[in-house]
Amino acid sequence: MKMSTTIQQRIEELKEQLNRWSHEYYVEDKPTATDAEYDKAYHELVALEVEHPEFVTADSPTQRVGGEVLDQFQKVTHTNPMLSLSNAFSKEDLEEFDARLRKLTNRAIEYVCELKIDGLSIALTYQNGQLVLGATRGDGTTGEDVTGNVRTIKSVPLSLKEPWNIEVRGECYMPKKSFVALNESREEEGLEVFANPRNAAAGSLRQLDPKIAAKRNLSVFLYSSPSVEELNVSTQEELLEKMAEIGFVTNPERLKCQTIDEVWNYIETIAAKRPDLPYEIDGMVIKVNDFAAQEEIGFTVKAPRWAIAYKFPAEEAQTIVRDIEWTVGRTGVVTPTAVMDPVQLAGTTVRRASLHNIDLIKERDIRLEDTVVIHKAGDIIPEVTRVILEKRPETSKPYEFPTTCPVCHEKLEHLEEEVAIRCLNPKCPAQLTEGLSHFVSRNAMNMSGIGPRVIKQLFEEGLVMDVADLYKLTLDQLLALDKVQQKSAENILEAIEKSKENSLERLLTGLGIRHVGTKAAKELAQHFKTMTALQEASIEQLLEIDGLGDIIAYSVKTYFEQPSVQELIQELQDSGVNMTYLGVTKDDSAASGHVLSGKTVVLTGTLEQLTRQDAKEKLESLGAKVTGSVSKKTDVVIAGHSAGSKLTKANDLGIEVWSEQQFLDSLA
């Protein structure tokens, strides 16, 4: 009982510490802990909660990773409607707004100006200080229950310092950096990109799988509450201060103004700062500060009379498309870029704009010599919005899309599940350097000593044009490279030679087949046993592998159908690279009778005769499951030199401990 109490106390300590660090980082923007300190505490908490699930609570930082996948969102009726705002588009509109208000109340009017975040409106409900509901605005009366996704947003507190029963409202958004990174990732994967951060935020918050939402790095600014009586505040300024005090993230970029002239000056100040903000805004929200004055002024059917949203004019420009360039990315995705007459936009000169993929060009019917409107998506990425058809030349013809790679001239493929076109040639120079780096990496062919600098030189000197060329390198060629000495060159050649003995799954990993990682490579190698059998496999045969799925099966089949791939495999085989699976099959491991077959094993400390990866592979070949943390489910811990907390924990739990030598002896 005492042990349980101690463990529970430690879990509570870790939760409090991690939540405080998270608040300092995401809300206050004043981190006091390093990433390493946070990670260490977080992993300790995870391990304790795995071992003691009875102590897991909803406010634990470990619960932000996303829960069950939903079939659909449940509807939520807002107790207090989430009203929209009337819009203003000029200083005159704001002056008229001010004049109307002064006729509706005799109270002194001052305004609070807040940035209008371009995101998705949300409402958060807390009971006894615990987050119980996160909902979208919907139509203002009825929204959707997105609690699971809201819980993944690190700037949203899962619990409050006091047992408040309150509702707060604000905007969920995606920071500009996250938006750019997300679109770059989707473009590489051949997926449709998001038009702007708002769409990205909305799409992420409305994911039925919270684990996807958790990866999207969403954030919030909270700025209103129907619970002002509970919070004991009488002005908007006090409300924002109180919300920040409680632990909610509010936007510090705001200003209290006495006149519309002051409001307008602030709008102009923010408009100038807008491109440099880390999030996208589309205007300014102006609210009467005093709640008593708000009550007197009242509401229309759709909106409060005491607030208005000033909308920034769209930052757009016209120019002419002179050319469309196609570039090949790391994964073979071929991306179009419009080359245009230079034009000023959002303080910069723009000459190029992303067109993302062929579907977008088709949808907007973009042609050479077209006059187009461009804007900056998220104030960052120049993008062609539309074509001005009345300015289109009479001789204009629909754009003809490339059918061959602009670099290697191999046929381009438009895979069924993608919006992108893709070069599947593994010898394509545009993909080669990244492909080479992946091929020699530790989890693939494990050629130590061949880093990015060496690969770049090899490629630039024309010594390595595909992965097969690595096996043709000579000592003299390596010594001719910059900063490569005799010993380094010899080590590289030794690593290359040793890699020929690798099992088939390493080669499959190194080839960089789309959607085929180390796990899928192992499954394919175990099932088909030889490269020839895999090359000849049909879609139906590939799908026989449990859990492989249509996407991987189609990707593998498409890859091996390429003549250039077949040529590459033959070159590798001629160089002496092993083409068979050398590990133990699943049937063999089950029948091996090894003492570790079917056991859960943890590796800890420094191994002297094996690398950690080699040891893991040997264990898996025996049919053992290798995990990263010690728990009651662990059967054996293999401890090397300087084993630390995992060994201590294993001893405390009475788990069997082996030395590295014991493990090696068991293999004899």
Side-chain angles (χ1 to χ4, degrees), residues 299-412:
F299 299 78
T300 67
V301 175
K302 296 182 179 179
R305 289 194 177 96
W306 42 264
I308 198 165
Y310 173 81
K311 303 295 288 286
F312 289 130
E315 290 244 32
E316 295 183 336
Q318 288 187 22
T319 185
I320 297 174
V321 177
R322 300 299 182 185
D323 195 10
I324 295 177
E325 289 183 355
W326 297 82
T327 54
V328 186
R330 178 181 62 83
T331 62
V333 169
V334 184
T335 306
T337 300
V339 182
M340 309 167 301
D341 290 345
V343 64
Q344 286 293 120
L345 180 64
T348 60
T349 301
V350 176
R351 294 179 173 85
R352 303 167 68 83
S354 174
L355 297 174
H356 297 302
N357 52 63
I358 61 173
D359 284 6
L360 184 142
I361 297 173
K362 287 178 180 177
E363 179 190 320
R364 299 179 186 175
D365 190 20
I366 299 167
R367 307 179 184 184
L368 300 183
E369 306 304 320
D370 268 347
T371 299
V372 296
V373 175
I374 62 170
H375 81 292
K376 285 191 175 180
D379 292 327
I380 304 171
I381 306 168
E383 189 175 84
V384 176
T385 306
R386 62 189 184 277
V387 176
I388 302 178
L389 293 175
E390 54 267 29
K391 294 187 178 182
R392 173 171 281 170
E394 292 182 4
T395 56
S396 175
K397 295 180 180 179
Y399 182 75
E400 291 187 16
F401 298 102
T403 56
T404 60
C405 174
V407 178
C408 70
H409 309 296
E410 287 270 329
K411 183 183 176 184
L412 294 173

Side-chain angles (χ1 to χ4, degrees), residues 492-547:
I492 288 172
L493 290 176
E494 185 182 341
I496 291 172
E497 190 63 28
K498 188 178 179 183
S499 76
K500 294 178 181 180
E501 303 170 4
N502 286 332
S503 186
L504 176 59
E505 69 272 17
R506 281 187 170 272
L507 176 58
L508 293 176
T509 300
L511 290 172
I513 306 166
R514 289 203 67 235
H515 305 300
V516 177
T518 54
K519 185 179 179 183
K522 183 74 171 286
E523 295 282 349
L524 288 165
Q526 278 187 324
H527 186 86
F528 290 102
K529 298 182 176 63
T530 69
M531 179 67 84
T532 300
L534 177 58
Q535 285 179 285
E536 294 173 352
S538 65
I539 291 288
E540 291 72 26
Q541 288 172 316
L542 288 163
L543 289 171
E544 288 175 6
I545 301 175
D546 187 38

Side-chain angles (χ1 to χ4, degrees), residues 122-126 131 133-135 150 156-157 166-169 220 222 248:
I122 57 167
L124 310 178
T125 302
Y126 290 80
L131 176 67
L133 177 65
V150 166
V156 172
I166 56 173
E167 180 185 330
V168 292
R169 295 173 174 182
V220 296
L222 298 162
F248 297 112

Side-chain angles (χ1 to χ4, degrees), residues 230-248:
E230 289 88 341
L231 295 169
N232 193 28
V233 292
S234 59
T235 68
Q236 176 67 12
E237 188 178 37
E238 287 178 8
L239 172 63
L240 293 171
E241 290 171 354
K242 185 71 174 182
M243 289 168 68
E245 182 187 315
I246 289 173
F248 297 112

Side-chain angles (χ1 to χ4, degrees), residues 548-581:
L548 195 69
D550 292 346
I551 292 174
I552 294 178
Y554 184 78
S555 180
V556 170
K557 183 66 177 171
T558 304
Y559 179 80
F560 285 115
E561 283 177 345
Q562 303 301 307
S564 54
V565 170
Q566 295 164 13
E567 182 185 333
L568 176 67
I569 299 298
Q570 189 59 56
E571 285 184 53
L572 289 167
Q573 191 167 359
D574 292 344
S575 296
V577 177
N578 172 61
M579 296 283 161
T580 60
Y581 177 62

